[in-house]
Amino acid sequence: MEVHNVDLTISAVKPEQYPQTNYPEIALVGRSNVGKSSLTNVLINRRNFAHTSSQPGKTQTLNFYVVEDELYFVDVPGYGYAKVSKKERERFGQMIEKYLTTREQLRGVILLVDGRHAPTDDDISMYQWLQYYDIPTMVVATKIDKVKGNAWNREESLVKKTLGIDKQTPLVLFSAVKKTGKDAVWNWIEEQTGMN
Ligand SMILES: Nc1nc2c(ncn2[C@@H]2O[C@H](COP(=O)(O)OP(=O)(O)OP(=O)(O)O)[C@@H](O)[C@H]2O)c(=O)[nH]1
Ligand SMILES: [Mg+2]
């Protein structure tokens, strides 16, 4: 899908602020600095519309990006960032949990993991949590441009095995730099949201 119109509708911290439309929503979750905002930018064809940063902890709110007046991407604060205080982390955790478990418009979650390494314990917990709540999930292993081509298969198997991925969960190797995997991610989004 070629996106032309996109807008940040709201940066929300509580349900009263979520958009009051019935557009389907796709949320992006994953560790801080894994590349959620970068993936959002690739999907919407913008350079730095969703603010990216080499400093982890950049995204602190649920950012609702409306795409072509048809669907929302929801960029979610990253987990596993040690420098955020415990209190802050709990607040983020509650905000994210509330959104993911109560939002009727949510059609799927893209769980991002770092394609250069094995998924972390936090990643495994997140995947299991999404499975428990029966939320359709796609796993995206990002920063794959930093992995040599001949190691891609090994990395793919490592991610599958470490997360214990089931058959319903597709896995895509992705690079925000080279735009590898962009079409596969869009195809899944179109399937989940009934856009095609
Ligand atoms: N080489 C490479 N770098 C990437 C890729 N995706 C993201 N990055 C870099 O990783 C850093 C973090 O990216 P972000 O998109 O800001 O990460 P985030 O998950 O939104 O981070 P938080 O908002 O802090 O949770 C930035 O310096 C990006 O340029 C990728 O596919 N390849
Ligand atoms: Mg971000």
Side-chain angles (χ1 to χ4, degrees), residues 129-142:
W129 189 91
L130 291 166
Q131 293 280 95
Y132 176 80
Y133 282 101
D134 231 349
I135 300 171
T137 302
M138 164 174 264
V139 175
V140 167
T142 191

mmCIF file with all atom_site columns, all heavy atoms in Angstrom, residues 129-142:
data_model
loop_
_atom_site.group_PDB
_atom_site.id
_atom_site.type_symbol
_atom_site.label_atom_id
_atom_site.label_alt_id
_atom_site.label_comp_id
_atom_site.label_asym_id
_atom_site.label_entity_id
_atom_site.label_seq_id
_atom_site.pdbx_PDB_ins_code
_atom_site.Cartn_x
_atom_site.Cartn_y
_atom_site.Cartn_z
_atom_site.occupancy
_atom_site.B_iso_or_equiv
_atom_site.pdbx_formal_charge
_atom_site.auth_seq_id
_atom_site.auth_comp_id
_atom_site.auth_asym_id
_atom_site.auth_atom_id
_atom_site.pdbx_PDB_model_num
ATOM 1   N N   . TRP A 1 129 ? 2.118  -13.190 26.549 1.00 0.00 ? 129 TRP A N   1
ATOM 2   C CA  . TRP A 1 129 ? 0.988  -12.369 27.010 1.00 0.00 ? 129 TRP A CA  1
ATOM 3   C C   . TRP A 1 129 ? 0.005  -12.133 25.854 1.00 0.00 ? 129 TRP A C   1
ATOM 4   O O   . TRP A 1 129 ? -1.211 -12.276 26.015 1.00 0.00 ? 129 TRP A O   1
ATOM 5   C CB  . TRP A 1 129 ? 1.562  -11.049 27.561 1.00 0.00 ? 129 TRP A CB  1
ATOM 6   C CG  . TRP A 1 129 ? 0.572  -10.195 28.267 1.00 0.00 ? 129 TRP A CG  1
ATOM 7   C CD1 . TRP A 1 129 ? 0.289  -10.210 29.600 1.00 0.00 ? 129 TRP A CD1 1
ATOM 8   C CD2 . TRP A 1 129 ? -0.243 -9.183  27.670 1.00 0.00 ? 129 TRP A CD2 1
ATOM 9   N NE1 . TRP A 1 129 ? -0.678 -9.269  29.865 1.00 0.00 ? 129 TRP A NE1 1
ATOM 10  C CE2 . TRP A 1 129 ? -1.012 -8.634  28.708 1.00 0.00 ? 129 TRP A CE2 1
ATOM 11  C CE3 . TRP A 1 129 ? -0.410 -8.689  26.379 1.00 0.00 ? 129 TRP A CE3 1
ATOM 12  C CZ2 . TRP A 1 129 ? -1.933 -7.602  28.488 1.00 0.00 ? 129 TRP A CZ2 1
ATOM 13  C CZ3 . TRP A 1 129 ? -1.326 -7.680  26.155 1.00 0.00 ? 129 TRP A CZ3 1
ATOM 14  C CH2 . TRP A 1 129 ? -2.073 -7.145  27.198 1.00 0.00 ? 129 TRP A CH2 1
ATOM 15  N N   . LEU A 1 130 ? 0.523  -11.809 24.682 1.00 0.00 ? 130 LEU A N   1
ATOM 16  C CA  . LEU A 1 130 ? -0.339 -11.572 23.507 1.00 0.00 ? 130 LEU A CA  1
ATOM 17  C C   . LEU A 1 130 ? -1.088 -12.849 23.116 1.00 0.00 ? 130 LEU A C   1
ATOM 18  O O   . LEU A 1 130 ? -2.253 -12.810 22.727 1.00 0.00 ? 130 LEU A O   1
ATOM 19  C CB  . LEU A 1 130 ? 0.497  -11.069 22.326 1.00 0.00 ? 130 LEU A CB  1
ATOM 20  C CG  . LEU A 1 130 ? 1.087  -9.663  22.474 1.00 0.00 ? 130 LEU A CG  1
ATOM 21  C CD1 . LEU A 1 130 ? 2.161  -9.419  21.424 1.00 0.00 ? 130 LEU A CD1 1
ATOM 22  C CD2 . LEU A 1 130 ? -0.003 -8.597  22.388 1.00 0.00 ? 130 LEU A CD2 1
ATOM 23  N N   . GLN A 1 131 ? -0.388 -13.986 23.245 1.00 0.00 ? 131 GLN A N   1
ATOM 24  C CA  . GLN A 1 131 ? -1.013 -15.278 22.952 1.00 0.00 ? 131 GLN A CA  1
ATOM 25  C C   . GLN A 1 131 ? -2.137 -15.559 23.945 1.00 0.00 ? 131 GLN A C   1
ATOM 26  O O   . GLN A 1 131 ? -3.217 -16.007 23.564 1.00 0.00 ? 131 GLN A O   1
ATOM 27  C CB  . GLN A 1 131 ? 0.022  -16.415 23.082 1.00 0.00 ? 131 GLN A CB  1
ATOM 28  C CG  . GLN A 1 131 ? 1.103  -16.390 22.046 1.00 0.00 ? 131 GLN A CG  1
ATOM 29  C CD  . GLN A 1 131 ? 0.615  -16.976 20.740 1.00 0.00 ? 131 GLN A CD  1
ATOM 30  O OE1 . GLN A 1 131 ? 0.181  -16.239 19.866 1.00 0.00 ? 131 GLN A OE1 1
ATOM 31  N NE2 . GLN A 1 131 ? 0.662  -18.278 20.618 1.00 0.00 ? 131 GLN A NE2 1
ATOM 32  N N   . TYR A 1 132 ? -1.857 -15.288 25.207 1.00 0.00 ? 132 TYR A N   1
ATOM 33  C CA  . TYR A 1 132 ? -2.829 -15.531 26.267 1.00 0.00 ? 132 TYR A CA  1
ATOM 34  C C   . TYR A 1 132 ? -4.117 -14.743 26.000 1.00 0.00 ? 132 TYR A C   1
ATOM 35  O O   . TYR A 1 132 ? -5.220 -15.249 26.161 1.00 0.00 ? 132 TYR A O   1
ATOM 36  C CB  . TYR A 1 132 ? -2.232 -15.157 27.631 1.00 0.00 ? 132 TYR A CB  1
ATOM 37  C CG  . TYR A 1 132 ? -3.210 -15.297 28.756 1.00 0.00 ? 132 TYR A CG  1
ATOM 38  C CD1 . TYR A 1 132 ? -3.467 -16.553 29.312 1.00 0.00 ? 132 TYR A CD1 1
ATOM 39  C CD2 . TYR A 1 132 ? -3.896 -14.196 29.243 1.00 0.00 ? 132 TYR A CD2 1
ATOM 40  C CE1 . TYR A 1 132 ? -4.394 -16.686 30.330 1.00 0.00 ? 132 TYR A CE1 1
ATOM 41  C CE2 . TYR A 1 132 ? -4.826 -14.325 30.262 1.00 0.00 ? 132 TYR A CE2 1
ATOM 42  C CZ  . TYR A 1 132 ? -5.069 -15.577 30.803 1.00 0.00 ? 132 TYR A CZ  1
ATOM 43  O OH  . TYR A 1 132 ? -5.992 -15.711 31.802 1.00 0.00 ? 132 TYR A OH  1
ATOM 44  N N   . TYR A 1 133 ? -3.967 -13.512 25.563 1.00 0.00 ? 133 TYR A N   1
ATOM 45  C CA  . TYR A 1 133 ? -5.148 -12.675 25.281 1.00 0.00 ? 133 TYR A CA  1
ATOM 46  C C   . TYR A 1 133 ? -5.691 -12.880 23.864 1.00 0.00 ? 133 TYR A C   1
ATOM 47  O O   . TYR A 1 133 ? -6.612 -12.179 23.448 1.00 0.00 ? 133 TYR A O   1
ATOM 48  C CB  . TYR A 1 133 ? -4.846 -11.192 25.540 1.00 0.00 ? 133 TYR A CB  1
ATOM 49  C CG  . TYR A 1 133 ? -4.876 -10.870 27.007 1.00 0.00 ? 133 TYR A CG  1
ATOM 50  C CD1 . TYR A 1 133 ? -3.697 -10.749 27.731 1.00 0.00 ? 133 TYR A CD1 1
ATOM 51  C CD2 . TYR A 1 133 ? -6.081 -10.738 27.686 1.00 0.00 ? 133 TYR A CD2 1
ATOM 52  C CE1 . TYR A 1 133 ? -3.720 -10.485 29.099 1.00 0.00 ? 133 TYR A CE1 1
ATOM 53  C CE2 . TYR A 1 133 ? -6.110 -10.471 29.047 1.00 0.00 ? 133 TYR A CE2 1
ATOM 54  C CZ  . TYR A 1 133 ? -4.930 -10.345 29.737 1.00 0.00 ? 133 TYR A CZ  1
ATOM 55  O OH  . TYR A 1 133 ? -4.961 -10.099 31.080 1.00 0.00 ? 133 TYR A OH  1
ATOM 56  N N   . ASP A 1 134 ? -5.081 -13.825 23.137 1.00 0.00 ? 134 ASP A N   1
ATOM 57  C CA  . ASP A 1 134 ? -5.597 -14.186 21.820 1.00 0.00 ? 134 ASP A CA  1
ATOM 58  C C   . ASP A 1 134 ? -5.585 -13.006 20.846 1.00 0.00 ? 134 ASP A C   1
ATOM 59  O O   . ASP A 1 134 ? -6.495 -12.838 20.030 1.00 0.00 ? 134 ASP A O   1
ATOM 60  C CB  . ASP A 1 134 ? -7.044 -14.673 21.961 1.00 0.00 ? 134 ASP A CB  1
ATOM 61  C CG  . ASP A 1 134 ? -7.212 -16.010 21.273 1.00 0.00 ? 134 ASP A CG  1
ATOM 62  O OD1 . ASP A 1 134 ? -6.286 -16.392 20.544 1.00 0.00 ? 134 ASP A OD1 1
ATOM 63  O OD2 . ASP A 1 134 ? -8.269 -16.637 21.461 1.00 0.00 ? 134 ASP A OD2 1
ATOM 64  N N   . ILE A 1 135 ? -4.575 -12.193 20.926 1.00 0.00 ? 135 ILE A N   1
ATOM 65  C CA  . ILE A 1 135 ? -4.465 -11.022 20.056 1.00 0.00 ? 135 ILE A CA  1
ATOM 66  C C   . ILE A 1 135 ? -3.649 -11.429 18.823 1.00 0.00 ? 135 ILE A C   1
ATOM 67  O O   . ILE A 1 135 ? -2.522 -11.899 18.968 1.00 0.00 ? 135 ILE A O   1
ATOM 68  C CB  . ILE A 1 135 ? -3.784 -9.849  20.796 1.00 0.00 ? 135 ILE A CB  1
ATOM 69  C CG1 . ILE A 1 135 ? -4.619 -9.464  22.029 1.00 0.00 ? 135 ILE A CG1 1
ATOM 70  C CG2 . ILE A 1 135 ? -3.575 -8.648  19.868 1.00 0.00 ? 135 ILE A CG2 1
ATOM 71  C CD1 . ILE A 1 135 ? -3.943 -8.467  22.957 1.00 0.00 ? 135 ILE A CD1 1
ATOM 72  N N   . PRO A 1 136 ? -4.228 -11.282 17.622 1.00 0.00 ? 136 PRO A N   1
ATOM 73  C CA  . PRO A 1 136 ? -3.471 -11.632 16.415 1.00 0.00 ? 136 PRO A CA  1
ATOM 74  C C   . PRO A 1 136 ? -2.141 -10.872 16.380 1.00 0.00 ? 136 PRO A C   1
ATOM 75  O O   . PRO A 1 136 ? -2.122 -9.655  16.546 1.00 0.00 ? 136 PRO A O   1
ATOM 76  C CB  . PRO A 1 136 ? -4.378 -11.183 15.272 1.00 0.00 ? 136 PRO A CB  1
ATOM 77  C CG  . PRO A 1 136 ? -5.744 -11.110 15.859 1.00 0.00 ? 136 PRO A CG  1
ATOM 78  C CD  . PRO A 1 136 ? -5.561 -10.750 17.308 1.00 0.00 ? 136 PRO A CD  1
ATOM 79  N N   . THR A 1 137 ? -1.067 -11.618 16.172 1.00 0.00 ? 137 THR A N   1
ATOM 80  C CA  . THR A 1 137 ? 0.264  -11.025 16.298 1.00 0.00 ? 137 THR A CA  1
ATOM 81  C C   . THR A 1 137 ? 1.129  -11.358 15.090 1.00 0.00 ? 137 THR A C   1
ATOM 82  O O   . THR A 1 137 ? 1.090  -12.475 14.583 1.00 0.00 ? 137 THR A O   1
ATOM 83  C CB  . THR A 1 137 ? 0.962  -11.576 17.570 1.00 0.00 ? 137 THR A CB  1
ATOM 84  O OG1 . THR A 1 137 ? 0.148  -11.273 18.706 1.00 0.00 ? 137 THR A OG1 1
ATOM 85  C CG2 . THR A 1 137 ? 2.343  -10.971 17.769 1.00 0.00 ? 137 THR A CG2 1
ATOM 86  N N   . MET A 1 138 ? 1.891  -10.369 14.644 1.00 0.00 ? 138 MET A N   1
ATOM 87  C CA  . MET A 1 138 ? 2.966  -10.603 13.691 1.00 0.00 ? 138 MET A CA  1
ATOM 88  C C   . MET A 1 138 ? 4.273  -10.244 14.402 1.00 0.00 ? 138 MET A C   1
ATOM 89  O O   . MET A 1 138 ? 4.341  -9.227  15.084 1.00 0.00 ? 138 MET A O   1
ATOM 90  C CB  . MET A 1 138 ? 2.805  -9.724  12.441 1.00 0.00 ? 138 MET A CB  1
ATOM 91  C CG  . MET A 1 138 ? 4.082  -9.625  11.601 1.00 0.00 ? 138 MET A CG  1
ATOM 92  S SD  . MET A 1 138 ? 3.885  -8.745  10.036 1.00 0.00 ? 138 MET A SD  1
ATOM 93  C CE  . MET A 1 138 ? 3.634  -10.125 8.929  1.00 0.00 ? 138 MET A CE  1
ATOM 94  N N   . VAL A 1 139 ? 5.288  -11.086 14.235 1.00 0.00 ? 139 VAL A N   1
ATOM 95  C CA  . VAL A 1 139 ? 6.593  -10.756 14.809 1.00 0.00 ? 139 VAL A CA  1
ATOM 96  C C   . VAL A 1 139 ? 7.468  -10.192 13.697 1.00 0.00 ? 139 VAL A C   1
ATOM 97  O O   . VAL A 1 139 ? 7.564  -10.764 12.613 1.00 0.00 ? 139 VAL A O   1
ATOM 98  C CB  . VAL A 1 139 ? 7.265  -11.988 15.457 1.00 0.00 ? 139 VAL A CB  1
ATOM 99  C CG1 . VAL A 1 139 ? 8.675  -11.646 15.941 1.00 0.00 ? 139 VAL A CG1 1
ATOM 100 C CG2 . VAL A 1 139 ? 6.425  -12.511 16.617 1.00 0.00 ? 139 VAL A CG2 1
ATOM 101 N N   . VAL A 1 140 ? 8.081  -9.039  13.975 1.00 0.00 ? 140 VAL A N   1
ATOM 102 C CA  . VAL A 1 140 ? 8.985  -8.417  13.017 1.00 0.00 ? 140 VAL A CA  1
ATOM 103 C C   . VAL A 1 140 ? 10.377 -8.348  13.645 1.00 0.00 ? 140 VAL A C   1
ATOM 104 O O   . VAL A 1 140 ? 10.557 -7.745  14.706 1.00 0.00 ? 140 VAL A O   1
ATOM 105 C CB  . VAL A 1 140 ? 8.479  -7.006  12.624 1.00 0.00 ? 140 VAL A CB  1
ATOM 106 C CG1 . VAL A 1 140 ? 9.562  -6.237  11.878 1.00 0.00 ? 140 VAL A CG1 1
ATOM 107 C CG2 . VAL A 1 140 ? 7.227  -7.110  11.759 1.00 0.00 ? 140 VAL A CG2 1
ATOM 108 N N   . ALA A 1 141 ? 11.333 -9.020  13.003 1.00 0.00 ? 141 ALA A N   1
ATOM 109 C CA  . ALA A 1 141 ? 12.720 -8.958  13.462 1.00 0.00 ? 141 ALA A CA  1
ATOM 110 C C   . ALA A 1 141 ? 13.396 -7.831  12.687 1.00 0.00 ? 141 ALA A C   1
ATOM 111 O O   . ALA A 1 141 ? 13.569 -7.912  11.471 1.00 0.00 ? 141 ALA A O   1
ATOM 112 C CB  . ALA A 1 141 ? 13.422 -10.290 13.207 1.00 0.00 ? 141 ALA A CB  1
ATOM 113 N N   . THR A 1 142 ? 13.752 -6.782  13.390 1.00 0.00 ? 142 THR A N   1
ATOM 114 C CA  . THR A 1 142 ? 14.201 -5.567  12.710 1.00 0.00 ? 142 THR A CA  1
ATOM 115 C C   . THR A 1 142 ? 15.725 -5.410  12.746 1.00 0.00 ? 142 THR A C   1
ATOM 116 O O   . THR A 1 142 ? 16.429 -6.234  13.314 1.00 0.00 ? 142 THR A O   1
ATOM 117 C CB  . THR A 1 142 ? 13.464 -4.331  13.286 1.00 0.00 ? 142 THR A CB  1
ATOM 118 O OG1 . THR A 1 142 ? 13.745 -3.224  12.430 1.00 0.00 ? 142 THR A OG1 1
ATOM 119 C CG2 . THR A 1 142 ? 13.899 -4.022  14.694 1.00 0.00 ? 142 THR A CG2 1
#
